[in-house]
Structures are given as structure tokens and as C-alpha cells.
Amino acid sequence: MIKKIGVLTSGGDAPGMNAAVAGVIRAANAKGIEVYGIRDGYKGLINGWFEKVDIDFAQEILTRGGTRLGSARLPEFKEESVRQIGVDNLKKAGIEALVVCGGDGSYMGAQRLTEMGINCVGLPGTIDNDIVSSDYTIGFDTALNTIIEAIDRIRDTMQSHNRAAVVEVMGNHCGDLALYAGTTTGCEVISTSESKLTEEEICEQVKVLAKKGKRSVIVLVTENLYDSNALAKKVEEKSGYVTRATILGHTQRGGIPTGMDRYLAVTSAIYAVDQLAAGKGGVYVGLDGNKLVARDINSTLNMPRKDKSQELSTIRLLNSQFKK
Ligand code: ADP
């Protein structure tokens, strides 16, 4: 049985990463396994930034936003010679296996480390919900609720002043934050990476609603698709609504994790420690239906994303209906 494991958070931070680390510590301690927190992801691995973490630390961080261990990006980790420094550091410290909480990129690192003799298990930590092999990721629910609150507030003022708004949300190349937020706040126009509307289509849809006399319109878009400020100007010109853009930005990354994110984080962490204790590595823990599963990282990296375009079409249609 292994005696010492490490845990790190890597890539973009997500609410619930702390709960994942807390879950790892508690589950490992219960099996008599010591846990070392590795600061700033793979950067800390190659710099030997390890600290022993205990159940008091777990209690302290469980409910907090951000990641107390810190996160970083280290592109050089793709090079075997750089990873070897990390492997040597772990061996020197007697750390036999690792839990890595992050996204697809971090999983690649975890897979490579496993091939170099350090068993790694990945946990899906990202607000974007862009890990295809898990139905939900740790941080998605919190970010979604942050977006919902922001849109509800924007709606109040748009409705008061008979205006339109363009709201830009995160998601990287995944439209789930926009799809779920648009569905739950009734945004009239939604454009995501997987189902992108042209600027002309957006303007036309808003114009139709303006002509019918709709009091307020919210255009919800995923990041990296448009210049949202320029888009707002075009919408204003074409529709006649005074239109402003709100780019929600990093507010979506922070904040106290929701119950669902904490639950997913802690239960996945327990499952991850079970995997390591059973001598497994090169796997990630994901949610499939309501069930946690452990799948080979290699076999899932190129899995196609679930097609949600039909769902989005239905919502677009329903959200653009209104009674004058
Ligand atoms: P995320 O984990 O959120 O997808 P990144 O794509 O930035 O975020 O990846 C996080 C880190 O994982 C990178 O900074 C790098 O250290 C490591 N990484 C990414 N791709 C690879 C790879 N192909 N091989 C080894 N390590 C990788």
C-alpha cells in the first residue's frame, strides 16, 4: 500500500478545487496515507514546493473559493527533461502518486507522469465544463450561478429602461455556460462556439424583437467569438435599442463554491484516492449520468463533445417568444 501521495491544482482555477484537495486529504488520511500539497501546479512540482497538509488544513479550505494550493501554467512541462525534474523531486520526497485537479491539459501532464512511473489520477476542475468525458466539472455550477445572478441584475435595468444588452461569458471553446445560463434566465439570443450566429443574424433577431415591441433583450455570447463592445454598437444601430456590453470576465472564476460543486469535488476526490490506493494511474475521475467513473486518460482525450445544438435551438425558439 502507498504511504505518501501529492495533490496539485493546475490550469485555470475553479471554485471547488479546494474542496477537491480537502477530499483527497480526508480520504487519504482515513487510509493512513500522508498527503503533500504541491504549490502552483506543475511549476511547484519541478521546484520542489511541497508541504505536508493535514485534516485541519482540509477543514480550513473546504468551503473557500479559488485554490489555496495555487495554480499555474507551465508550457515547458511538455518536455520530458522538465518532467524528469518533477519525478526526481517526488522520489526524493518519497511521494509515490499524485492527484491532479485541472482540465484536459493537466490530464496530459498526468498521463505523461504516469508513463514515467508516478501514478496519477485526474479530477475535472474547470468552470468551462469542457471535459468531454465528464458530464459536469468542478466549478461549472458555481460559475453558472454567478452568471445567472449577473444576468438577472442586468435584466432588471434593461427592462426598466427599454434597452438591450450583450453579455459575454467564459467557456473557452465550450458553450455550456452560455447554454445553461441562457436557458435559466431566458436570454432571447444565444450564440455559442458550437452554434455560432453571425453578427448580422444577431442584429436581425434583436431587430425583430424590437419591432414587435419587446421591452428588453439580452444577447448572450460565449467568449472569443466577437468583439462584444463592437457587437453592442451594431445591435444598437440595427435595432434602435440603446445597447451596452457587459463582459463578465474573472468574476466567473471566483466565489464560494456551490453545494453541487463541493459535493462533486469531495466525492470525486474520495474516488480518486481509492484508485491510487488500488495501484491505478493514468485515469481521470468523471461523472457519467449520476455515477462516478474512472477512465483511461489516453482513451478519452480525443472523445467528441456531446452535441447540444438541438437543445440550444429549442431554447432559442422558446426564449424569443413573448406576449406584448
Ligand atoms: P487545463 O488543465 O485547464 O486544460 P492547460 O491546458 O493550460 O490547462 O494545461 C495546464 C498545464 O498542463 C500546462 O501549463 C502544462 O504544464 C500541462 N500540460 C498541458 N499539455 C501538456 C502535455 N501535452 N504534456 C505535458 N503537460 C502538459
Side-chain angles (χ1 to χ4, degrees):
M1 176 76 141
I2 49 171
K3 294 251 174 319
K4 278 188 194 177
I5 63 170
V7 58
L8 63 83
T9 56
S10 169
D13 65 321
M17 280 183 159
N18 279 327
V21 172
V24 168
I25 296 168
R26 286 185 161 152
N29 275 215
K31 290 181 188 294
I33 302 169
E34 280 181 17
V35 181
Y36 284 75
I38 296 162
R39 267 204 287 132
D40 290 345
Y42 293 133
K43 200 170 170 188
L45 199 60
I46 65 158
N47 285 295
W49 295 336
F50 309 157
E51 54 179 318
K52 191 172 170 195
V53 283
D54 59 16
I55 44 172
D56 288 344
F57 180 81
Q59 183 61 50
E60 186 194 316
I61 66 169
L62 174 69
T63 62
R64 307 268 174 92
T67 161
R68 170 72 168 68
L69 289 180
S71 187
R73 291 197 165 94
L74 183 75
E76 303 89 313
F77 205 67
K78 288 178 187 160
E79 291 161 34
E80 187 170 351
S81 57
V82 174
R83 291 197 300 276
Q84 190 60 52
I85 301 169
V87 171
D88 293 344
N89 284 340
L90 288 170
K91 286 193 172 150
K92 242 184 275 161
I95 299 170
E96 299 149 276
L98 275 187
V99 177
V100 172
C101 185
D104 278 343
S106 305
Y107 283 8
M108 285 297 297
Q111 173 61 29
R112 298 283 167 266
L113 284 173
T114 302
E115 286 160 11
M116 294 169 80
I118 303 289
N119 273 347
C120 292
V121 175
L123 293 178
T126 162
I127 66 163
D128 298 328
N129 212 35
D130 61 347
I131 298 179
V132 287
S133 40
S134 187
D135 292 341
Y136 292 105
T137 56
I138 298 162
F140 175 70
D141 188 55
T142 307
L144 173 62
N145 280 285
T146 302
I147 295 168
I148 289 173
E149 190 185 341
I151 294 177
D152 288 347
R153 287 168 188 259
I154 291 168
R155 174 72 73 183
D156 287 345
T157 176
M158 296 302 112
Q159 186 73 9
S160 302
H161 285 274
N162 189 199
R163 288 182 174 180
V166 172
V167 179
E168 180 185 305
V169 297
M170 284 184 170
N172 199 8
H173 300 293
C174 175
D176 282 13
L177 281 172
L179 171 64
Y180 281 61
T183 303
T184 50
T185 58
C187 291
E188 289 80 0
V189 184
I190 306 168
S191 184
T192 70
S193 339
E194 300 92 342
S195 186
K196 185 184 170 185
L197 300 172
T198 63
E199 294 193 348
E200 290 65 37
E201 285 170 324
I202 291 174
C203 291
E204 188 51 37
Q205 289 184 20
V206 180
K207 195 172 143 189
V208 168
L209 293 166
K211 270 198 176 151
K212 287 186 184 166
K214 190 147 197 336
R215 181 90 185 149
S216 65
V217 173
I218 295 182
V219 177
L220 182 59
V221 302
T222 306
E223 64 184 345
N224 303 325
L225 298 183
Y226 317 93
D227 173 337
S228 292
N229 287 302
L231 177 61
K233 276 201 183 112
K234 282 187 192 160
V235 169
E236 180 164 318
E237 277 163 24
K238 292 271 165 64
S239 70
Y241 285 115
V242 170
T243 309
R244 296 284 180 271
T246 303
I247 298 164
L248 294 182
H250 285 98
T251 53
Q252 298 161 92
R253 283 268 187 85
I256 293 184
T258 60
M260 289 307 281
D261 275 336
R262 293 185 206 184
Y263 187 78
L264 178 60
V266 172
T267 52
S268 312
I270 296 166
Y271 202 78
V273 171
D274 284 345
Q275 302 302 309
L276 290 181
K280 291 187 192 155
V283 295
Y284 80 92
V285 176
L287 198 59
D288 187 354
N290 270 330
K291 219 167 145 278
L292 289 172
V293 291
R295 292 190 174 124
D296 285 346
I297 293 174
N298 262 344
S299 70
T300 57
L301 283 174
N302 296 318
M303 259 169 80
R305 186 166 293 153
K306 260 187 207 151
D307 181 9
K308 295 178 183 165
S309 53
Q310 190 50 50
E311 216 172 313
L312 182 56
S313 306
T314 306
I315 293 303
R316 278 176 173 153
L317 195 69
L318 299 183
N319 285 4
S320 60
Q321 293 177 322
F322 76 104
K323 185 165 168 261
K324 251 205 275 183

